[in-house]
PDB file of all heavy atoms in Angstrom:
ATOM      1  N   SER A 229      26.038  18.969  12.246  1.00 97.00           N
ATOM      2  CA  SER A 229      27.396  18.994  11.932  1.00 97.00           C
ATOM      3  C   SER A 229      27.698  19.938  10.772  1.00 97.00           C
ATOM      4  O   SER A 229      26.839  20.237   9.930  1.00 97.00           O
ATOM      5  CB  SER A 229      27.931  17.625  11.565  1.00 97.00           C
ATOM      6  OG  SER A 229      27.459  17.120  10.403  1.00 97.00           O
ATOM      7  N   ASN A 230      28.900  20.493  10.712  1.00 97.00           N
ATOM      8  CA  ASN A 230      29.330  21.394   9.676  1.00 97.00           C
ATOM      9  C   ASN A 230      29.257  20.651   8.254  1.00 97.00           C
ATOM     10  O   ASN A 230      28.843  21.329   7.226  1.00 97.00           O
ATOM     11  CB  ASN A 230      30.703  21.840   9.790  1.00 97.00           C
ATOM     12  CG  ASN A 230      30.807  22.827  10.970  1.00 97.00           C
ATOM     13  OD1 ASN A 230      29.728  23.428  11.321  1.00 97.00           O
ATOM     14  ND2 ASN A 230      31.970  23.116  11.436  1.00 97.00           N
ATOM     15  N   GLU A 231      29.496  19.319   8.294  1.00 97.00           N
ATOM     16  CA  GLU A 231      29.500  18.603   6.955  1.00 97.00           C
ATOM     17  C   GLU A 231      28.024  18.565   6.477  1.00 97.00           C
ATOM     18  O   GLU A 231      27.741  18.711   5.276  1.00 97.00           O
ATOM     19  CB  GLU A 231      30.078  17.209   7.144  1.00 97.00           C
ATOM     20  CG  GLU A 231      31.519  17.081   7.439  1.00 97.00           C
ATOM     21  CD  GLU A 231      31.974  17.621   8.827  1.00 97.00           C
ATOM     22  OE1 GLU A 231      31.105  17.656   9.725  1.00 97.00           O
ATOM     23  OE2 GLU A 231      33.064  17.942   9.003  1.00 97.00           O
ATOM     24  N   ARG A 232      27.111  18.359   7.397  1.00 98.00           N
ATOM     25  CA  ARG A 232      25.657  18.278   7.030  1.00 98.00           C
ATOM     26  C   ARG A 232      25.169  19.636   6.521  1.00 98.00           C
ATOM     27  O   ARG A 232      24.512  19.839   5.573  1.00 98.00           O
ATOM     28  CB  ARG A 232      24.881  17.735   8.198  1.00 98.00           C
ATOM     29  CG  ARG A 232      23.352  17.846   7.989  1.00 98.00           C
ATOM     30  CD  ARG A 232      22.812  17.105   6.756  1.00 98.00           C
ATOM     31  NE  ARG A 232      21.419  17.269   6.543  1.00 98.00           N
ATOM     32  CZ  ARG A 232      20.497  16.407   6.740  1.00 98.00           C
ATOM     33  NH1 ARG A 232      20.828  15.204   7.288  1.00 98.00           N
ATOM     34  NH2 ARG A 232      19.232  16.676   6.612  1.00 98.00           N
ATOM     35  N   ILE A 233      25.655  20.696   7.164  1.00 98.00           N
ATOM     36  CA  ILE A 233      25.229  22.073   6.803  1.00 98.00           C
ATOM     37  C   ILE A 233      25.689  22.365   5.384  1.00 98.00           C
ATOM     38  O   ILE A 233      24.975  22.947   4.682  1.00 98.00           O
ATOM     39  CB  ILE A 233      25.825  23.077   7.908  1.00 98.00           C
ATOM     40  CG1 ILE A 233      25.133  22.860   9.271  1.00 98.00           C
ATOM     41  CG2 ILE A 233      25.441  24.525   7.355  1.00 98.00           C
ATOM     42  CD1 ILE A 233      25.748  23.551  10.356  1.00 98.00           C
ATOM     43  N   ILE A 234      26.993  22.163   5.215  1.00 98.00           N
ATOM     44  CA  ILE A 234      27.515  22.360   3.876  1.00 98.00           C
ATOM     45  C   ILE A 234      26.819  21.607   2.787  1.00 98.00           C
ATOM     46  O   ILE A 234      26.473  22.164   1.693  1.00 98.00           O
ATOM     47  CB  ILE A 234      29.053  22.008   3.834  1.00 98.00           C
ATOM     48  CG1 ILE A 234      29.868  22.929   4.767  1.00 98.00           C
ATOM     49  CG2 ILE A 234      29.592  21.974   2.444  1.00 98.00           C
ATOM     50  CD1 ILE A 234      29.913  24.320   4.307  1.00 98.00           C
ATOM     51  N   LYS A 235      26.494  20.347   3.028  1.00 98.00           N
ATOM     52  CA  LYS A 235      25.699  19.575   2.081  1.00 98.00           C
ATOM     53  C   LYS A 235      24.400  20.186   1.707  1.00 98.00           C
ATOM     54  O   LYS A 235      23.914  20.228   0.544  1.00 98.00           O
ATOM     55  CB  LYS A 235      25.460  18.110   2.733  1.00 98.00           C
ATOM     56  CG  LYS A 235      24.892  17.184   1.681  1.00 98.00           C
ATOM     57  CD  LYS A 235      24.720  15.806   2.278  1.00 98.00           C
ATOM     58  CE  LYS A 235      24.143  14.837   1.344  1.00 98.00           C
ATOM     59  NZ  LYS A 235      23.967  13.431   1.943  1.00 98.00           N
ATOM     60  N   GLU A 236      23.701  20.695   2.790  1.00 98.00           N
ATOM     61  CA  GLU A 236      22.369  21.366   2.456  1.00 98.00           C
ATOM     62  C   GLU A 236      22.523  22.658   1.767  1.00 98.00           C
ATOM     63  O   GLU A 236      21.634  22.971   0.895  1.00 98.00           O
ATOM     64  CB  GLU A 236      21.652  21.553   3.888  1.00 98.00           C
ATOM     65  CG  GLU A 236      21.231  20.252   4.425  1.00 98.00           C
ATOM     66  CD  GLU A 236      20.171  20.392   5.617  1.00 98.00           C
ATOM     67  OE1 GLU A 236      19.412  21.362   5.454  1.00 98.00           O
ATOM     68  OE2 GLU A 236      20.200  19.555   6.480  1.00 98.00           O
ATOM     69  N   MET A 237      23.576  23.331   2.088  1.00 97.00           N
ATOM     70  CA  MET A 237      23.802  24.678   1.372  1.00 97.00           C
ATOM     71  C   MET A 237      24.101  24.395  -0.154  1.00 97.00           C
ATOM     72  O   MET A 237      23.587  25.116  -1.016  1.00 97.00           O
ATOM     73  CB  MET A 237      25.070  25.351   2.011  1.00 97.00           C
ATOM     74  CG  MET A 237      24.599  25.941   3.328  1.00 97.00           C
ATOM     75  SD  MET A 237      26.075  26.865   4.143  1.00 97.00           S
ATOM     76  CE  MET A 237      26.059  28.327   3.159  1.00 97.00           C
ATOM     77  N   GLU A 238      24.978  23.379  -0.400  1.00 97.00           N
ATOM     78  CA  GLU A 238      25.260  22.950  -1.764  1.00 97.00           C
ATOM     79  C   GLU A 238      24.026  22.601  -2.529  1.00 97.00           C
ATOM     80  O   GLU A 238      23.778  22.916  -3.679  1.00 97.00           O
ATOM     81  CB  GLU A 238      26.292  21.961  -1.787  1.00 97.00           C
ATOM     82  CG  GLU A 238      27.724  22.348  -1.403  1.00 97.00           C
ATOM     83  CD  GLU A 238      28.621  21.293  -1.266  1.00 97.00           C
ATOM     84  OE1 GLU A 238      28.274  20.093  -0.984  1.00 97.00           O
ATOM     85  OE2 GLU A 238      29.896  21.557  -1.392  1.00 97.00           O
ATOM     86  N   ASN A 239      23.139  21.823  -1.867  1.00 97.00           N
ATOM     87  CA  ASN A 239      21.880  21.333  -2.454  1.00 97.00           C
ATOM     88  C   ASN A 239      20.958  22.540  -2.838  1.00 97.00           C
ATOM     89  O   ASN A 239      20.390  22.608  -3.897  1.00 97.00           O
ATOM     90  CB  ASN A 239      21.081  20.452  -1.466  1.00 97.00           C
ATOM     91  CG  ASN A 239      19.978  19.625  -2.103  1.00 97.00           C
ATOM     92  OD1 ASN A 239      20.162  19.189  -3.329  1.00 97.00           O
ATOM     93  ND2 ASN A 239      18.956  19.360  -1.426  1.00 97.00           N
ATOM     94  N   ALA A 240      20.859  23.468  -1.871  1.00 96.00           N
ATOM     95  CA  ALA A 240      20.041  24.688  -2.143  1.00 96.00           C
ATOM     96  C   ALA A 240      20.594  25.433  -3.361  1.00 96.00           C
ATOM     97  O   ALA A 240      19.846  25.954  -4.208  1.00 96.00           O
ATOM     98  CB  ALA A 240      20.013  25.637  -0.894  1.00 96.00           C
ATOM     99  N   LYS A 241      21.851  25.663  -3.443  1.00 96.00           N
ATOM    100  CA  LYS A 241      22.505  26.359  -4.506  1.00 96.00           C
ATOM    101  C   LYS A 241      22.265  25.588  -5.831  1.00 96.00           C
ATOM    102  O   LYS A 241      22.000  26.351  -6.919  1.00 96.00           O
ATOM    103  CB  LYS A 241      23.978  26.452  -4.343  1.00 96.00           C
ATOM    104  CG  LYS A 241      24.634  27.483  -5.236  1.00 96.00           C
ATOM    105  CD  LYS A 241      26.098  27.720  -5.015  1.00 96.00           C
ATOM    106  CE  LYS A 241      26.783  28.614  -5.997  1.00 96.00           C
ATOM    107  NZ  LYS A 241      28.200  28.800  -5.705  1.00 96.00           N
ATOM    108  N   SER A 242      22.235  24.296  -5.927  1.00 96.00           N
ATOM    109  CA  SER A 242      22.028  23.530  -7.068  1.00 96.00           C
ATOM    110  C   SER A 242      20.644  23.733  -7.652  1.00 96.00           C
ATOM    111  O   SER A 242      20.337  23.517  -8.861  1.00 96.00           O
ATOM    112  CB  SER A 242      22.285  22.123  -6.845  1.00 96.00           C
ATOM    113  OG  SER A 242      21.270  21.508  -6.085  1.00 96.00           O
TER     114      SER A 242
END
Side-chain angles (χ1 to χ4, degrees):
S229 68
N230 287 341
E231 291 73 19
R232 170 61 185 251
I233 295 167
I234 293 292
K235 185 178 179 181
E236 291 194 31
M237 292 179 71
E238 290 174 333
N239 194 33
K241 187 175 180 180
S242 73

